[in-house]
Amino acid sequence: MITLYTSATPNGHKASVTLEEMGLAYTVQPIKLSEGTQKEPWFLAINPNGRIPAIVDHDEGDFAVFESGAIMIYLAEKSGMFMPADAKGRSRVLQWLMFQMGGIGPMMGQANVFFRYFPEKIQPAIDRYQNETKRLFGVLDGHLAHSEFLAGDYSIADIANFCWVRIHDWSGVDIAPFPNLKRWMDQIAKRPAVQRGLKVPEDTSLSDKDQKKEELIQSARKLLV
Ligand SMILES: N[C@@H](CCC(=O)N[C@@H](CS)C(=O)NCC(=O)O)C(=O)O
């Protein structure tokens, strides 16, 4: 049994979708980011970085794993699923996973901050992160023009990038100019395990009511300064 500490964010969904896809037994402990639960000493003992997601694997002596990418690799190795065993296949998956961890996540994350959360609209910062997000979407689109998935069969690399690209509205970037990316997004969104994972820890679909959306924006702002 695994405990997943999470919130309804792209990084949290990377872990919950992965667990759902692999059919691993887990329980969810929701972390209230707006209340600072992630900075409490008991949670820092699990993740010294004070962020979600994190997991504790009770089958492995309560082994704790933090960083969403590291969690996905750990679960792929535990389950033997969604990452090939051969060196080249594994490397291809890790390349696209790192592309998300080092590119899509940080750039979209900053685009979200400057476009969506900060009341002051600092245009050069918005432009910088939106342009970089568009450039990265172009890289995905170009690759997906000749591949069904990012690295051979459907893998943790697809899950990681999907969970971020789906919130492109938060960054103020449209995916309509990227038809291959859109085709791939639509395909992954249909997977039942993905749909279940996106409801963890609660159903916060992108069509949230305005009031709920405003609450989310307010609590995110508090974390950023
Ligand atoms: N690189 C980390 C980033 C984790 C992260 O930034 N998590 C956010 C939610 S998506 C968080 O916990 N924020 C709370 C805070 O900043 O205090 C990962 O991939 O796990």
Side-chain angles (χ1 to χ4, degrees):
M1 177 64 78
I2 290 169
T3 301
L4 168 66
Y5 301 86
T6 196
S7 295
T9 74
N11 287 322
H13 287 147
K14 284 165 62 182
S16 51
V17 168
T18 301
L19 284 159
E20 289 290 340
E21 286 281 19
M22 293 172 180
L24 294 167
Y26 71 106
T27 55
V28 179
Q29 184 151 342
I31 299 295
K32 292 193 171 166
L33 299 180
S34 57
E35 292 176 15
T37 312
Q38 72 279 19
K39 310 292 184 212
E40 290 175 7
W42 71 268
F43 187 74
L44 293 175
I46 294 168
N47 179 358
N49 196 29
R51 295 193 162 197
I52 63 91
I55 60 167
V56 172
D57 188 348
H58 305 291
D59 300 333
E60 296 294 339
D62 290 343
F63 183 64
V65 188
F66 70 96
E67 280 294 324
S68 54
I71 292 169
M72 298 176 96
I73 295 168
Y74 177 82
L75 295 175
E77 287 174 349
K78 182 182 173 79
S79 66
M81 297 169 81
F82 301 113
M83 187 162 67
D86 69 290
K88 285 183 188 163
R90 184 181 147 84
S91 171
R92 286 190 194 99
V93 168
L94 294 180
Q95 288 168 49
W96 286 105
L97 179 63
M98 297 305 150
F99 176 87
Q100 183 280 307
M101 291 295 293
I104 290 277
M107 292 303 123
M108 286 186 74
Q110 293 305 315
N112 296 349
V113 166
F114 289 105
F115 173 75
R116 179 175 157 102
Y117 297 130
F118 269 18
E120 310 85 359
K121 297 301 168 206
I122 307 163
Q123 201 56 46
I126 295 173
D127 290 345
R128 157 72 186 153
Y129 294 115
Q130 285 186 337
N131 286 339
E132 186 61 8
T133 298
K134 285 179 204 161
R135 189 189 69 75
L136 293 164
F137 283 5
V139 175
L140 287 171
D141 192 65
H143 183 68
L144 290 165
H146 52 81
S147 319
E148 184 178 12
F149 296 110
L150 287 174
D153 293 336
Y154 178 69
S155 72
I156 55 172
D158 296 291
I159 299 172
N161 283 279
F162 168 85
C163 287
W164 270 93
V165 175
R166 72 183 282 274
I167 56 115
H168 60 89
D169 281 351
W170 298 11
S171 307
V173 176
D174 192 3
I175 62 163
F178 305 101
N180 306 300
L181 180 60
K182 173 126 185 25
R183 181 269 305 156
W184 169 85
M185 289 294 294
D186 291 345
Q187 193 174 346
I188 296 175
K190 286 189 196 128
R191 295 178 68 91
V194 169
Q195 291 170 6
R196 288 195 303 275
L198 294 177
K199 289 182 181 150
V200 175
E202 58 189 8
D203 189 357
T204 51
S205 62
L206 298 183
S207 60
D208 276 337
K209 295 266 177 284
D210 285 350
Q211 188 184 348
K212 175 102 185 168
K213 191 170 147 193
E214 190 50 35
E215 277 169 29
L216 284 171
I217 290 175
Q218 292 301 341
S219 63
R221 261 183 205 142
K222 269 200 281 178
L223 292 174
L224 296 169
V225 283

